[in-house]
Amino acid sequence: MSEPTTSAPDSPQRPLPRRRLGFAAAAASLVVVFAASGAPIPLYERYRSADGLTTGDLSIAAVTYFAAVMVALVVLGRLSDHIGRKAVAMSAVVLATAGSLALLDVTGLGVLMAGRAFQGLACGLGSSAIAAYIVDLAPEKPKWLSATVVAGAPLVGLTIGAVGAGVLAEYGPAPEQTPYIAVTVPLAACAFLLLLSPDPTTRRDGALRSLRPNVHLPQTIRPLLPAAIAVFVGTWALGGFYQAFSPTISAQSLGTTNTLVAGIVFASFMAPYAFGGPLTGRLTPVTAQRLGITIFALAVVGVVIGLRTGTIAVVILCGIGAGAAQGAAFTGSMRGLLPRASAADRAGLMSTVYLFSYGGAALPSLISGRLTAAGMTLQTISLGYAALAVLAALVVLLASGRGHTLAATPSTNQPTTTTG
C-alpha cells in the first residue's frame, strides 16, 4: 500500500457525525475492495479443471493482477490529491464491482485477466486514495487507529474474501457465480455510504501532471535498500505463489478440491502478517528484520516439506509462521526506512516499496507459470521459492547491519534523488 497523503487535513469544523460516517465508509470500502480481490483465488482449481485453464494461465492471471496494482500505485497514486479522495475512492469501488461482474462468466484466460486487471486497479487505488481518506477522517484518538486500519484492512479483506468465497463455492449454489454476486452487495453498500461522506480534500490543479510516474529514492535510505529489497522480493514472491497456486496445491498435493480448504491455505499465509509487526515492536528495526526473514526462510522450507509429503497440517502451520515472519521482516524494514525519509518523500518511497514488492510477486509467478507449462511440477517449483527465501535471508543477515551503520553516517545524508 502506498503511504497515505494528507495534503488537506479535514476541517475541525466539519460535522462530527459525517466525519465518523466517512471514516467508517472508507474503512469498510478498503476491506471490501480487497475482499473482492480475494474471492477468485479459491476458484482457480475449478477454472483449471472445468474451464480448461492451465496452471500457466493461472500464473498469468496473478501477474496481471500484480501489474495492475503497480500501475495504479505508480501512475494514479497521487490523483486523489487533485480531484478529491471521494471521487477516487468511488472509482476503486466501481472498478472492484466491474471486476467481480466480469468474473461471473469465466470462459477463458482473457475474461479472467480482464477481471483481475479491474480488481488490481481497484486495490492499487484503495491502497493510496482510500488509505489516505481513512487517515484524513480518522478520530484524533486513539492515535494508533488510522495506522492500524490502513495496515490491517487489506489483509482482513483478503482473508474474508478467500475464505468466504471458498465456503460459498463449496456449499452454495452456482459455485462460480455466487461468491462474486455476494461481494457486490457490500460493494454497493460502500458506494452508497461514500456518496453520503464528506470529502476532506481541497481540489487543486495538476491532475494530469500527477499521472506522470514518479518514484523517489531518497539518498538517506539507499544504504538500507539491499536488505530491504531482499525482504520485499523474497517474502512477496511467496505471496504470489500462494495466490496463483494454492487451490492447485490443495488439489494435487493435499488431495482435496474443497474450495474452503483452498481458501484456508491461502488465508493461513496472508492473515498472520498483521501479527508480525506488533510481536516484534519492542525489537530494533534491524533485529526485527533479521529475526523475521530468518524465521520466514525456515518456515518456507517447512511449507516445501509439507507439500512434498502431502501433509496439510505442516503446510498450514508453516504458512502461518511464514506469514507472521513476513509481517515482522516487512515492518522492521519499514521502521528503518521511514524515519530517514522526509514527509515529502514518504509517498514516493512507499510507491517504490510496493513497486519492488509487487514486482517480487509478479516475476517469480510469471517464471513459475512458464515452468508449469513446460511440465515441471509445483512441488519442484516450490524448491525455487525456498531457495529464494534462503537467499533473501542471507542478504539481510550480511547487509542489514552495515546498511544501518552507513545510513547513520552524516555523509550519507544527501539531497533526495527523484526519478520519474
Side-chain angles (χ1 to χ4, degrees), residues 93-104:
V93 172
V94 170
L95 284 167
T97 305
S100 297
L101 295 176
L103 293 173
L104 282 173

Side-chain angles (χ1 to χ4, degrees), residues 59 77 107 158 265 342 404:
S59 72
T107 55
L158 283 170
V265 170
S342 68
H404 279 267

Side-chain angles (χ1 to χ4, degrees), residues 289-393:
Q289 192 181 44
R290 287 174 165 177
L291 180 64
I293 196 65
T294 301
I295 295 175
F296 175 82
L298 293 174
V300 175
V301 172
V303 170
V304 172
I305 292 173
L307 289 175
R308 297 182 71 83
T309 59
T311 311
I312 188 169
V314 172
V315 173
I316 291 177
L317 288 175
C318 289
I320 292 172
Q326 178 190 15
F330 193 94
T331 305
S333 300
M334 294 310 303
R335 287 168 54 205
L337 294 175
L338 285 175
R340 292 177 171 82
S342 68
D345 288 331
R346 286 174 188 163
L349 171 62
M350 290 304 296
S351 293
T352 304
V353 166
Y354 284 101
L355 194 62
F356 281 117
S357 300
Y358 280 103
L363 183 59
S365 295
L366 184 63
I367 295 173
S368 297
R370 297 303 90 197
L371 291 176
T372 58
M376 187 176 290
T377 66
L378 291 180
Q379 290 84 353
T380 301
I381 291 173
S382 68
L383 292 172
Y385 285 86
L388 183 59
V390 171
L391 177 61

Side-chain angles (χ1 to χ4, degrees), residues 59-163:
S59 72
I60 291 174
V63 171
T64 301
Y65 169 79
F66 293 136
V69 175
M70 287 190 286
V71 168
L73 283 170
V74 175
V75 179
L76 305 175
R78 295 174 295 156
L79 186 60
S80 69
D81 292 339
H82 299 271
I83 67 171
R85 306 280 191 241
K86 187 160 79 172
V88 182
M90 285 290 297
S91 300
V93 172
V94 170
L95 284 167
T97 305
S100 297
L101 295 176
L103 293 173
L104 282 173
D105 186 21
V106 176
T107 55
L109 178 59
V111 176
L112 184 58
M113 288 177 63
R116 294 301 277 160
F118 281 129
Q119 291 179 332
L121 290 172
C123 290
L125 290 179
S127 297
S128 53
I130 298 181
Y133 205 0
I134 291 170
V135 174
D136 290 345
L137 296 179
E140 293 185 0
K141 294 182 180 180
K143 296 289 187 183
W144 48 263
L145 181 59
S146 61
T148 300
V149 172
V150 168
L155 302 169
V156 171
L158 283 170
T159 302
I160 292 174
V163 176

Side-chain angles (χ1 to χ4, degrees), residues 6-310:
T6 55
S7 58
D10 189 34
S11 168
Q13 287 76 37
R14 194 175 301 284
L16 188 58
R18 286 200 71 205
R19 183 186 176 99
R20 288 176 174 171
L21 170 65
F23 174 75
S29 297
L30 192 57
V31 171
V32 177
V33 164
F34 274 87
S37 76
I41 295 171
L43 300 174
Y44 277 6
E45 179 57 20
R46 287 184 178 272
Y47 297 149
R48 192 184 71 83
S49 61
D51 298 320
L53 273 65
T54 66
T55 51
D57 293 336
L58 299 181
S59 72
I60 291 174
V63 171
T64 301
Y65 169 79
F66 293 136
V69 175
M70 287 190 286
V71 168
L73 283 170
V74 175
V75 179
L76 305 175
R78 295 174 295 156
L79 186 60
S80 69
D81 292 339
H82 299 271
I83 67 171
R85 306 280 191 241
K86 187 160 79 172
V88 182
M90 285 290 297
S91 300
V93 172
V94 170
L95 284 167
T97 305
S100 297
L101 295 176
L103 293 173
L104 282 173
D105 186 21
V106 176
T107 55
L109 178 59
V111 176
L112 184 58
M113 288 177 63
R116 294 301 277 160
F118 281 129
Q119 291 179 332
L121 290 172
C123 290
L125 290 179
S127 297
S128 53
I130 298 181
Y133 205 0
I134 291 170
V135 174
D136 290 345
L137 296 179
E140 293 185 0
K141 294 182 180 180
K143 296 289 187 183
W144 48 263
L145 181 59
S146 61
T148 300
V149 172
V150 168
L155 302 169
V156 171
L158 283 170
T159 302
I160 292 174
V163 176
V167 171
L168 292 172
E170 186 66 30
Y171 303 107
E176 293 190 15
Q177 286 78 39
T178 302
Y180 300 123
I181 295 172
V183 81
T184 59
V185 176
L187 282 170
C190 288
F192 178 71
L193 292 174
L194 286 173
L195 283 174
L196 301 178
S197 301
D199 191 335
T201 311
T202 301
R203 298 189 180 190
R204 52 190 170 96
D205 295 335
L208 287 178
R209 287 195 302 274
S210 76
L211 301 180
R212 179 185 177 187
N214 193 350
V215 178
H216 287 257
L217 291 173
Q219 184 75 26
T220 50
I221 59 96
R222 290 188 178 184
L224 305 179
L225 286 180
I229 291 173
V231 168
F232 303 150
V233 172
T235 57
W236 280 59
L238 188 67
F241 180 75
Y242 267 78
Q243 179 164 151
F245 302 121
S246 57
T248 304
I249 289 170
S250 300
Q252 294 183 353
S253 299
L254 307 179
T256 176
T257 58
N258 188 306
T259 53
L260 175 57
V261 173
I264 290 174
V265 170
F266 175 72
S268 68
F269 175 69
M270 297 303 298
Y273 176 100
F275 300 103
L279 287 175
T280 56
R282 293 181 179 275
L283 303 178
T284 64
V286 66
T287 301
Q289 192 181 44
R290 287 174 165 177
L291 180 64
I293 196 65
T294 301
I295 295 175
F296 175 82
L298 293 174
V300 175
V301 172
V303 170
V304 172
I305 292 173
L307 289 175
R308 297 182 71 83
T309 59

